[in-house]
């Protein structure tokens, strides 16, 4: 049987960007690509994800790639900025 998201096998993640400068929902969705049982919901300014604990390091790596884009958006063609 599949664990529920409240299982210790999952990690809950919350992201906020009240300035609205970039879309945190899109970032979380992209960071979940390739991860098994990853779920994302929310909108541009506030979003959340649930991932398997075993995928946490990969998720962090994906988020750090986004941090590089956010820090230096001129080096990217990614459409997360408004």
């Amino acid at each position: 049987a599949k664990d529920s998201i409240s299982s210790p096998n999952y990690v809950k993640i919350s992201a906020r960007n009240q300035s609205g400068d970039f879309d945190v929902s899109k970032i979380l969705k992209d960071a979940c690509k390739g991860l098994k049982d990853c779920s994302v919901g929310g909108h541009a300014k506030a979003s959340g994800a649930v991932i398997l604990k075993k995928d946490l390091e990969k998720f962090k790596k994906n988020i750090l790639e986004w941090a590089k884009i956010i820090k230096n958006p001129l080096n990217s063609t990614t459409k997360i900025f408004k």
Side-chain angles (χ1 to χ4, degrees):
K2 185 176 172 181
D3 290 335
S4 74
I5 62 169
S6 60
S7 159
N9 293 327
Y10 287 88
V11 176
K12 294 178 185 178
I13 296 158
S14 177
R16 303 284 182 270
N17 175 28
Q18 296 308 309
S19 72
D21 292 342
F22 52 89
D23 186 337
V24 293
S25 180
K26 181 171 176 41
I27 291 170
L28 291 183
K29 286 175 186 171
D30 194 65
C32 279
K33 285 184 182 173
L35 303 182
K36 184 180 175 186
D37 291 338
C38 184
S39 177
V40 177
H43 48 86
K45 289 186 176 184
S47 189
V50 178
I51 64 169
L52 286 168
K53 190 177 283 188
K54 70 176 186 68
D55 291 332
L56 183 58
E57 291 307 312
K58 174 64 175 162
F59 184 86
K60 286 180 186 178
K61 181 179 175 186
N62 293 346
I63 290 293
L64 288 173
E65 288 302 314
W66 275 105
K68 290 177 190 174
I69 293 169
I70 292 167
K71 188 173 180 178
N72 196 356
L74 297 178
N75 289 340
S76 175
T77 58
T78 305
K79 302 285 185 198
I80 61 163
F81 296 93
K82 297 189 176 197

